[in-house]
Amino acid sequence: LLLLPMLNQILDIFAPAGTPIYSLSNGVVTRVATSNNGGKVYGTQISVSGKDGYPNLFYTHTDSSQVASGDQVRVGELIAYVGKPNSPE
């Protein structure tokens, strides 16, 4: 994995397509949807509303979502796999 410095509270983590993505927060999944924002394709996006003091998190460029809106997730739970940037996973 390649970690980049945080800019505007965004952390980009690069990993090969198919790499598992685990929740970094306890919370509730509030959104699982494919997005195309102004021509930029973000693939499937997953939003987790943090609880128990955890922050809200937003995952983009995901593929094969393992969660649905309304699901409760815990830190370390598999939520998706890495997709391909700028393609409609």
Coordinates of all heavy atoms in Angstrom, one line a residue:
L1 N 0.8 -1.2 0.0 CA 0.0 0.0 0.0 C 0.9 1.2 0.0 O 1.9 1.3 0.6 CB -0.9 0.0 1.2 CG -2.0 -1.0 1.4 CD1 -2.7 -0.8 2.7 CD2 -2.9 -1.0 0.3
L2 N 0.4 2.3 -0.7 CA 1.1 3.5 -0.7 C 0.2 4.6 0.0 O -0.9 4.8 -0.4 CB 1.4 4.0 -2.2 CG 1.9 5.4 -2.4 CD1 3.3 5.5 -1.7 CD2 2.0 5.7 -3.8
L3 N 0.7 5.2 1.1 CA 0.0 6.2 1.8 C 0.5 7.6 1.4 O 1.7 7.8 1.4 CB 0.2 6.0 3.3 CG -0.3 4.6 3.9 CD1 0.0 4.6 5.3 CD2 -1.8 4.4 3.6
L4 N -0.4 8.5 1.1 CA -0.1 9.8 0.8 C -0.4 10.8 1.9 O -1.3 10.4 2.7 CB -0.8 10.3 -0.5 CG -0.5 9.5 -1.7 CD1 -1.3 10.0 -2.9 CD2 1.0 9.5 -2.1
P5 N 0.2 11.9 2.0 CA -0.1 12.8 3.1 C -1.5 13.3 3.0 O -2.1 13.4 2.0 CB 0.9 14.0 2.9 CG 1.8 13.6 1.8 CD 1.3 12.4 1.1
M6 N -2.1 13.6 4.2 CA -3.5 14.1 4.3 C -3.6 15.5 3.8 O -2.8 16.4 4.2 CB -4.0 13.9 5.7 CG -4.3 12.5 6.1 SD -5.0 12.4 7.7 CE -6.6 13.1 7.5
L7 N -4.5 15.7 2.9 CA -4.8 17.1 2.4 C -6.3 17.2 2.5 O -7.0 16.4 2.0 CB -4.3 17.2 0.9 CG -2.8 17.0 0.6 CD1 -2.6 17.0 -0.9 CD2 -2.0 18.1 1.3
N8 N -6.7 18.3 3.1 CA -8.2 18.5 3.3 C -8.8 17.3 3.9 O -9.9 16.9 3.6 CB -8.8 18.8 1.9 CG -8.3 20.1 1.4 OD1 -8.0 21.1 2.1 ND2 -8.1 20.1 0.1
Q9 N -8.2 16.7 4.9 CA -8.7 15.5 5.6 C -9.1 14.4 4.7 O -10.0 13.6 5.0 CB -9.9 16.0 6.5 CG -9.5 17.0 7.5 CD -10.7 17.3 8.4 OE1 -11.7 16.7 8.4 NE2 -10.5 18.3 9.2
I10 N -8.4 14.2 3.6 CA -8.6 13.1 2.7 C -7.3 12.3 2.7 O -6.2 12.8 2.6 CB -8.9 13.6 1.3 CG1 -10.2 14.3 1.2 CG2 -8.9 12.4 0.3 CD1 -10.6 14.9 -0.1
L11 N -7.4 11.0 2.8 CA -6.3 10.1 2.8 C -6.5 9.2 1.6 O -7.4 8.4 1.6 CB -6.2 9.3 4.1 CG -5.1 8.3 4.1 CD1 -3.7 8.9 4.1 CD2 -5.2 7.5 5.4
D12 N -5.6 9.2 0.6 CA -5.6 8.3 -0.5 C -4.7 7.1 -0.2 O -3.5 7.3 0.2 CB -5.1 9.0 -1.8 CG -6.1 10.0 -2.3 OD1 -7.3 9.8 -2.2 OD2 -5.6 11.0 -2.9
I13 N -5.2 5.9 -0.3 CA -4.5 4.7 -0.2 C -4.6 3.9 -1.5 O -5.6 3.6 -1.9 CB -5.1 3.9 1.0 CG1 -5.0 4.7 2.3 CG2 -4.3 2.6 1.1 CD1 -5.7 4.0 3.5
F14 N -3.4 3.7 -2.1 CA -3.4 3.0 -3.3 C -3.1 1.5 -3.1 O -2.2 1.2 -2.3 CB -2.3 3.6 -4.2 CG -2.6 5.0 -4.7 CD1 -2.2 6.1 -3.9 CD2 -3.3 5.3 -5.8 CE1 -2.5 7.4 -4.3 CE2 -3.7 6.6 -6.2 CZ -3.2 7.6 -5.4
A15 N -3.8 0.7 -3.7 CA -3.6 -0.8 -3.6 C -4.1 -1.4 -4.9 O -4.9 -0.8 -5.7 CB -4.4 -1.3 -2.4
P16 N -3.6 -2.6 -5.2 CA -4.1 -3.3 -6.5 C -5.6 -3.6 -6.4 O -6.1 -3.9 -5.4 CB -3.2 -4.6 -6.5 CG -2.1 -4.3 -5.5 CD -2.6 -3.3 -4.5
A17 N -6.2 -3.6 -7.6 CA -7.6 -4.0 -7.7 C -7.7 -5.4 -7.1 O -6.9 -6.3 -7.3 CB -8.0 -4.0 -9.2
G18 N -8.8 -5.5 -6.4 CA -9.1 -6.8 -5.7 C -8.6 -6.9 -4.3 O -9.0 -7.9 -3.6
T19 N -7.9 -5.9 -3.8 CA -7.4 -5.9 -2.4 C -8.6 -5.7 -1.5 O -9.4 -4.8 -1.7 CB -6.4 -4.8 -2.2 OG1 -5.3 -5.0 -3.1 CG2 -5.9 -4.7 -0.8
P20 N -8.7 -6.5 -0.4 CA -9.8 -6.3 0.5 C -9.8 -4.9 1.2 O -8.7 -4.4 1.5 CB -9.6 -7.4 1.6 CG -8.7 -8.3 1.0 CD -7.8 -7.6 0.0
I21 N -10.9 -4.3 1.5 CA -11.1 -3.0 2.2 C -11.8 -3.4 3.5 O -12.9 -3.9 3.4 CB -11.8 -2.0 1.4 CG1 -11.1 -1.7 0.1 CG2 -12.0 -0.7 2.2 CD1 -11.9 -0.8 -0.9
Y22 N -11.2 -3.0 4.6 CA -11.8 -3.2 5.9 C -12.2 -1.9 6.5 O -11.6 -0.9 6.3 CB -10.8 -3.9 6.8 CG -10.4 -5.3 6.3 CD1 -9.2 -5.4 5.6 CD2 -11.2 -6.4 6.4 CE1 -8.8 -6.6 5.0 CE2 -10.8 -7.6 5.9 CZ -9.6 -7.7 5.2 OH -9.2 -8.9 4.7
S23 N -13.3 -1.9 7.2 CA -13.8 -0.7 7.9 C -12.8 -0.2 8.9 O -12.3 -0.9 9.6 CB -15.2 -1.0 8.6 OG -15.6 0.2 9.2
L24 N -12.6 1.1 8.8 CA -11.8 1.8 9.8 C -12.6 2.5 10.9 O -12.0 3.2 11.7 CB -10.9 2.9 9.1 CG -10.0 2.4 8.0 CD1 -9.3 3.5 7.3 CD2 -8.9 1.4 8.7
S25 N -13.9 2.2 10.9 CA -14.8 2.8 11.9 C -15.9 1.9 12.3 O -16.4 1.1 11.5 CB -15.3 4.1 11.2 OG -16.2 4.8 12.1
N26 N -16.3 2.0 13.5 CA -17.6 1.4 13.9 C -18.7 2.4 13.4 O -18.5 3.6 13.6 CB -17.7 1.3 15.5 CG -16.8 0.3 16.0 OD1 -16.3 -0.6 15.4 ND2 -16.5 0.5 17.3
G27 N -19.8 1.9 12.9 CA -20.8 2.8 12.5 C -21.9 2.1 11.7 O -22.0 0.8 11.6
V28 N -22.7 2.9 11.0 CA -23.7 2.4 10.1 C -23.5 2.8 8.7 O -23.1 4.0 8.4 CB -25.1 3.0 10.6 CG1 -26.2 2.6 9.7 CG2 -25.4 2.7 12.0
V29 N -23.6 1.9 7.8 CA -23.5 2.2 6.4 C -24.6 3.0 5.9 O -25.8 2.6 6.1 CB -23.4 0.9 5.5 CG1 -23.3 1.2 4.0 CG2 -22.2 0.0 6.0
T30 N -24.4 4.2 5.4 CA -25.4 5.2 5.0 C -25.6 5.2 3.5 O -26.6 5.8 3.1 CB -25.2 6.6 5.6 OG1 -23.9 7.0 5.2 CG2 -25.2 6.6 7.1
R31 N -24.6 4.7 2.8 CA -24.8 4.8 1.3 C -23.9 3.8 0.7 O -22.7 3.6 1.0 CB -24.3 6.2 0.8 CG -24.4 6.4 -0.7 CD -24.1 7.9 -1.0 NE -24.5 8.2 -2.3 CZ -23.7 8.3 -3.4 NH1 -22.4 8.1 -3.2 NH2 -24.1 8.5 -4.6
V32 N -24.4 3.1 -0.3 CA -23.7 2.2 -1.2 C -24.2 2.5 -2.6 O -25.4 2.1 -2.9 CB -23.8 0.7 -0.8 CG1 -23.1 -0.2 -1.8 CG2 -23.3 0.4 0.6
A33 N -23.5 3.2 -3.4 CA -24.0 3.6 -4.7 C -22.9 3.8 -5.7 O -21.8 4.2 -5.3 CB -24.8 4.8 -4.6
T34 N -23.1 3.6 -7.0 CA -22.2 3.9 -8.0 C -22.4 5.3 -8.4 O -23.5 5.9 -8.4 CB -22.5 3.0 -9.3 OG1 -22.3 1.7 -8.9 CG2 -21.5 3.3 -10.4
S35 N -21.2 6.0 -8.6 CA -21.3 7.5 -8.8 C -20.5 7.9 -10.0 O -19.4 7.3 -10.3 CB -20.7 8.2 -7.5 OG -20.7 9.6 -7.7
N36 N -21.0 8.9 -10.7 CA -20.3 9.5 -11.8 C -20.5 11.0 -11.6 O -21.6 11.5 -11.8 CB -20.9 9.1 -13.1 CG -20.1 9.7 -14.3 OD1 -19.5 10.7 -14.2 ND2 -20.2 9.0 -15.4
N37 N -19.5 11.7 -11.1 CA -19.6 13.1 -10.7 C -18.9 14.0 -11.7 O -17.7 14.1 -11.7 CB -19.0 13.3 -9.3 CG -19.1 14.7 -8.8 OD1 -19.8 15.5 -9.4 ND2 -18.5 15.0 -7.7
G38 N -19.6 14.6 -12.6 CA -19.1 15.5 -13.6 C -18.1 14.9 -14.5 O -17.1 15.5 -14.9
G39 N -18.3 13.6 -14.9 CA -17.4 12.9 -15.8 C -16.4 12.1 -15.1 O -15.7 11.3 -15.7
K40 N -16.2 12.4 -13.8 CA -15.2 11.6 -13.0 C -16.0 10.4 -12.4 O -16.9 10.6 -11.7 CB -14.6 12.4 -11.9 CG -13.7 13.5 -12.3 CD -13.1 14.2 -11.2 CE -12.1 15.3 -11.6 NZ -11.5 16.0 -10.5
V41 N -15.5 9.2 -12.7 CA -16.2 8.0 -12.2 C -15.5 7.5 -11.0 O -14.3 7.3 -11.0 CB -16.2 6.9 -13.3 CG1 -16.8 5.7 -12.8 CG2 -16.9 7.4 -14.6
Y42 N -16.3 7.4 -9.9 CA -15.7 7.0 -8.6 C -16.1 5.5 -8.3 O -15.8 5.1 -7.2 CB -16.2 7.9 -7.5 CG -15.7 9.3 -7.7 CD1 -16.5 10.3 -8.1 CD2 -14.4 9.6 -7.3 CE1 -16.0 11.6 -8.3 CE2 -13.9 10.9 -7.5 CZ -14.7 11.9 -7.9 OH -14.3 13.2 -8.1
G43 N -16.7 4.8 -9.2 CA -17.1 3.4 -8.9 C -18.1 3.4 -7.8 O -18.9 4.3 -7.6
T44 N -18.1 2.3 -7.1 CA -19.0 2.2 -6.0 C -18.5 2.9 -4.8 O -17.3 2.7 -4.4 CB -19.2 0.7 -5.6 OG1 -19.7 0.0 -6.8 CG2 -20.2 0.5 -4.5
Q45 N -19.3 3.8 -4.2 CA -18.9 4.6 -3.0 C -19.7 4.0 -1.8 O -20.8 3.6 -1.9 CB -19.3 6.0 -3.2 CG -18.6 6.7 -4.4 CD -19.1 8.1 -4.5 OE1 -20.2 8.4 -4.3 NE2 -18.2 9.0 -5.0
I46 N -19.0 3.9 -0.7 CA -19.5 3.5 0.5 C -19.3 4.5 1.6 O -18.2 5.0 1.8 CB -18.9 2.1 1.0 CG1 -19.1 1.1 -0.1 CG2 -19.4 1.7 2.3 CD1 -18.4 -0.2 0.2
S47 N -20.4 5.0 2.2 CA -20.3 5.9 3.3 C -20.6 5.2 4.6 O -21.6 4.5 4.7 CB -21.3 7.1 3.1 OG -20.9 7.8 2.0
V48 N -19.8 5.5 5.7 CA -20.1 4.9 7.0 C -20.2 6.1 8.0 O -19.3 6.9 8.1 CB -19.0 3.9 7.4 CG1 -19.2 3.5 8.9 CG2 -18.8 2.8 6.5
S49 N -21.3 6.2 8.6 CA -21.6 7.2 9.7 C -21.0 6.6 11.0 O -21.5 5.6 11.5 CB -23.1 7.5 9.8 OG -23.3 8.4 10.8
G50 N -19.9 7.2 11.4 CA -19.2 6.7 12.6 C -20.0 6.8 13.9 O -20.9 7.7 14.0
K51 N -19.8 5.9 14.8 CA -20.4 6.0 16.1 C -19.3 5.6 17.1 O -18.2 5.2 16.8 CB -21.6 5.2 16.2 CG -21.4 3.7 16.1 CD -22.8 2.9 16.3 CE -22.5 1.5 16.3 NZ -23.8 0.7 16.5
D52 N -19.6 5.7 18.4 CA -18.7 5.3 19.5 C -17.4 6.2 19.4 O -16.3 5.7 19.7 CB -18.3 3.8 19.5 CG -19.5 2.9 19.6 OD1 -20.5 3.3 20.3 OD2 -19.5 1.8 19.1
G53 N -17.5 7.4 18.9 CA -16.4 8.3 18.8 C -15.6 8.2 17.6 O -14.6 8.9 17.4
Y54 N -16.0 7.3 16.6 CA -15.3 7.1 15.4 C -15.8 8.1 14.4 O -17.0 8.6 14.4 CB -15.5 5.7 14.8 CG -14.7 4.6 15.5 CD1 -15.3 4.0 16.6 CD2 -13.5 4.3 15.1 CE1 -14.5 3.0 17.3 CE2 -12.7 3.3 15.8 CZ -13.3 2.7 16.8 OH -12.5 1.7 17.5
P55 N -14.9 8.6 13.4 CA -15.3 9.6 12.4 C -16.2 9.0 11.3 O -16.3 7.7 11.2 CB -14.0 10.0 11.8 CG -13.1 8.8 12.0 CD -13.5 8.1 13.3
N56 N -16.9 9.8 10.6 CA -17.6 9.4 9.4 C -16.6 9.1 8.3 O -15.6 9.9 8.2 CB -18.6 10.5 8.9 CG -19.7 10.8 9.9 OD1 -20.0 9.9 10.7 ND2 -20.2 12.0 9.9
L57 N -16.7 8.1 7.6 CA -15.8 7.7 6.5 C -16.5 7.5 5.2 O -17.6 7.1 5.1 CB -15.0 6.4 6.9 CG -14.1 6.6 8.2 CD1 -13.6 5.2 8.6 CD2 -13.0 7.6 7.9
F58 N -15.7 7.8 4.1 CA -16.2 7.7 2.8 C -15.2 6.9 1.9 O -14.0 7.3 1.9 CB -16.4 9.1 2.3 CG -17.1 9.2 0.9 CD1 -18.4 8.9 0.8 CD2 -16.4 9.8 -0.1 CE1 -19.0 9.0 -0.5 CE2 -17.0 9.9 -1.4 CZ -18.3 9.5 -1.5
Y59 N -15.6 5.8 1.3 CA -14.7 5.0 0.5 C -15.1 5.1 -0.9 O -16.3 5.0 -1.2 CB -14.8 3.5 1.0 CG -14.5 3.3 2.4 CD1 -15.5 3.5 3.4 CD2 -13.3 2.9 2.8 CE1 -15.3 3.2 4.7 CE2 -13.0 2.7 4.2 CZ -14.0 2.8 5.1 OH -13.7 2.6 6.5
T60 N -14.2 5.3 -1.8 CA -14.5 5.4 -3.3 C -13.6 4.4 -4.0 O -12.7 3.8 -3.5 CB -14.2 6.8 -3.9 OG1 -12.8 7.1 -3.7 CG2 -15.1 7.8 -3.2
H61 N -13.9 4.2 -5.3 CA -13.2 3.3 -6.2 C -13.3 1.8 -5.6 O -12.3 1.1 -5.6 CB -11.8 3.7 -6.4 CG -11.6 5.1 -7.0 ND1 -12.1 5.4 -8.2 CD2 -11.1 6.2 -6.5 CE1 -11.9 6.6 -8.5 NE2 -11.2 7.2 -7.5
T62 N -14.4 1.5 -5.0 CA -14.6 0.1 -4.5 C -15.3 -0.7 -5.5 O -15.9 -0.3 -6.4 CB -15.3 0.1 -3.2 OG1 -16.7 0.4 -3.4 CG2 -14.7 1.1 -2.2
D63 N -15.2 -2.0 -5.3 CA -15.8 -3.0 -6.2 C -16.3 -4.1 -5.2 O -15.8 -4.3 -4.1 CB -14.8 -3.6 -7.1 CG -15.4 -4.4 -8.2 OD1 -16.6 -4.4 -8.4 OD2 -14.7 -5.1 -8.9
S64 N -17.3 -4.9 -5.7 CA -17.8 -6.0 -4.9 C -18.1 -5.7 -3.5 O -17.6 -6.2 -2.5 CB -16.8 -7.2 -4.9 OG -16.5 -7.5 -6.2
S65 N -19.0 -4.7 -3.3 CA -19.4 -4.3 -1.9 C -19.9 -5.5 -1.1 O -20.7 -6.3 -1.6 CB -20.5 -3.2 -2.0 OG -21.0 -2.9 -0.7
Q66 N -19.5 -5.6 0.1 CA -19.9 -6.7 1.0 C -20.9 -6.2 2.0 O -21.3 -6.9 2.9 CB -18.7 -7.2 1.7 CG -17.6 -7.7 0.8 CD -18.1 -8.9 -0.1 OE1 -18.4 -9.9 0.4 NE2 -18.1 -8.6 -1.4
V67 N -21.4 -4.9 1.9 CA -22.3 -4.3 2.8 C -23.4 -3.6 2.0 O -23.3 -3.4 0.8 CB -21.6 -3.3 3.8 CG1 -20.6 -4.0 4.7 CG2 -20.9 -2.2 3.0
A68 N -24.5 -3.3 2.8 CA -25.6 -2.6 2.2 C -26.0 -1.4 3.1 O -25.6 -1.4 4.3 CB -26.8 -3.5 2.0
S69 N -26.7 -0.4 2.6 CA -27.2 0.7 3.4 C -27.9 0.2 4.6 O -28.8 -0.8 4.5 CB -28.1 1.6 2.6 OG -27.3 2.3 1.6
G70 N -27.7 0.7 5.8 CA -28.3 0.3 7.0 C -27.6 -0.8 7.8 O -27.9 -1.0 9.0
D71 N -26.6 -1.4 7.2 CA -25.8 -2.4 7.9 C -24.9 -1.7 9.0 O -24.4 -0.6 8.8 CB -24.8 -3.1 6.9 CG -25.5 -4.1 6.0 OD1 -26.7 -4.4 6.2 OD2 -24.8 -4.7 5.2
Q72 N -24.8 -2.4 10.1 CA -23.9 -2.0 11.2 C -22.5 -2.6 10.8 O -22.5 -3.8 10.5 CB -24.4 -2.6 12.5 CG -25.7 -2.1 13.0 CD -25.6 -0.7 13.6 OE1 -24.6 -0.3 14.2 NE2 -26.7 0.0 13.5
V73 N -21.5 -1.8 10.9 CA -20.1 -2.4 10.7 C -19.2 -2.1 11.9 O -19.5 -1.1 12.7 CB -19.5 -1.8 9.4 CG1 -20.2 -2.2 8.2 CG2 -19.4 -0.3 9.4
R74 N -18.2 -2.9 12.1 CA -17.2 -2.8 13.1 C -15.8 -2.6 12.5 O -15.6 -3.0 11.4 CB -17.2 -4.0 14.0 CG -18.6 -4.4 14.6 CD -19.1 -3.7 15.8 NE -18.1 -3.7 16.9 CZ -18.2 -2.8 17.8 NH1 -19.1 -1.9 17.9 NH2 -17.3 -2.8 18.8
V75 N -15.0 -2.0 13.3 CA -13.6 -1.8 12.8 C -13.0 -3.2 12.4 O -13.2 -4.2 13.1 CB -12.7 -1.2 13.9 CG1 -11.2 -1.3 13.6 CG2 -13.1 0.2 14.2
G76 N -12.4 -3.3 11.2 CA -11.8 -4.5 10.8 C -12.7 -5.4 10.0 O -12.3 -6.4 9.4
E77 N -14.0 -5.0 9.8 CA -14.9 -5.8 9.1 C -14.7 -5.6 7.6 O -14.6 -4.5 7.1 CB -16.4 -5.5 9.5 CG -17.4 -6.3 8.8 CD -18.8 -6.0 9.3 OE1 -19.0 -5.4 10.4 OE2 -19.8 -6.2 8.5
L78 N -14.8 -6.7 6.8 CA -14.6 -6.5 5.3 C -15.9 -5.8 4.8 O -17.0 -6.2 5.0 CB -14.5 -7.9 4.7 CG -14.5 -8.0 3.2 CD1 -13.2 -7.3 2.7 CD2 -14.6 -9.4 2.7
I79 N -15.6 -4.7 4.0 CA -16.8 -4.0 3.4 C -16.8 -4.0 1.9 O -17.8 -3.8 1.3 CB -16.8 -2.5 4.0 CG1 -15.6 -1.8 3.6 CG2 -17.1 -2.5 5.5 CD1 -15.7 -0.3 3.9
A80 N -15.6 -4.2 1.3 CA -15.6 -4.2 -0.2 C -14.2 -4.6 -0.6 O -13.3 -5.0 0.2 CB -15.9 -2.8 -0.7
Y81 N -14.0 -4.6 -1.9 CA -12.6 -4.8 -2.5 C -12.3 -3.6 -3.3 O -13.1 -2.9 -3.9 CB -12.7 -6.0 -3.4 CG -12.9 -7.3 -2.6 CD1 -14.1 -7.8 -2.3 CD2 -11.8 -8.0 -2.0 CE1 -14.3 -8.9 -1.5 CE2 -12.0 -9.1 -1.2 CZ -13.2 -9.6 -1.0 OH -13.4 -10.7 -0.2
V82 N -11.0 -3.3 -3.5 CA -10.5 -2.2 -4.3 C -10.9 -2.4 -5.8 O -10.7 -3.5 -6.3 CB -9.0 -2.0 -4.2 CG1 -8.4 -1.0 -5.2 CG2 -8.6 -1.7 -2.8
G83 N -11.4 -1.4 -6.4 CA -11.8 -1.4 -7.8 C -10.7 -0.8 -8.6 O -9.6 -0.6 -8.2
K84 N -11.1 -0.3 -9.8 CA -10.1 0.4 -10.7 C -10.5 1.9 -10.7 O -11.6 2.2 -11.0 CB -10.2 -0.2 -12.1 CG -9.8 -1.7 -12.1 CD -9.9 -2.3 -13.5 CE -9.7 -3.7 -13.4 NZ -10.2 -4.4 -14.6
P85 N -9.5 2.8 -10.5 CA -9.8 4.2 -10.6 C -10.4 4.6 -11.9 O -10.0 4.0 -13.0 CB -8.5 4.9 -10.3 CG -7.7 3.9 -9.6 CD -8.2 2.5 -10.1
N86 N -11.3 5.5 -11.9 CA -11.9 6.1 -13.1 C -12.6 5.1 -14.0 O -12.6 5.2 -15.3 CB -10.9 6.9 -13.9 CG -10.4 8.0 -13.1 OD1 -11.2 8.7 -12.4 ND2 -9.1 8.2 -13.0
S87 N -13.2 4.0 -13.4 CA -14.0 3.1 -14.2 C -15.2 2.7 -13.4 O -15.2 2.8 -12.2 CB -13.2 1.8 -14.5 OG -12.9 1.1 -13.3
P88 N -16.3 2.4 -14.1 CA -17.5 2.2 -13.4 C -17.6 0.8 -12.8 O -18.3 -0.1 -13.3 CB -18.6 2.4 -14.5 CG -17.9 2.0 -15.7 CD -16.4 2.4 -15.5
E89 N -16.9 0.5 -11.7 CA -16.9 -0.8 -11.1 C -18.4 -1.2 -10.8 O -19.0 -1.9 -10.5 CB -16.2 -0.8 -9.7 CG -14.7 -0.7 -9.8 CD -14.2 0.7 -9.9 OE1 -14.9 1.6 -9.5 OE2 -13.2 0.9 -10.5

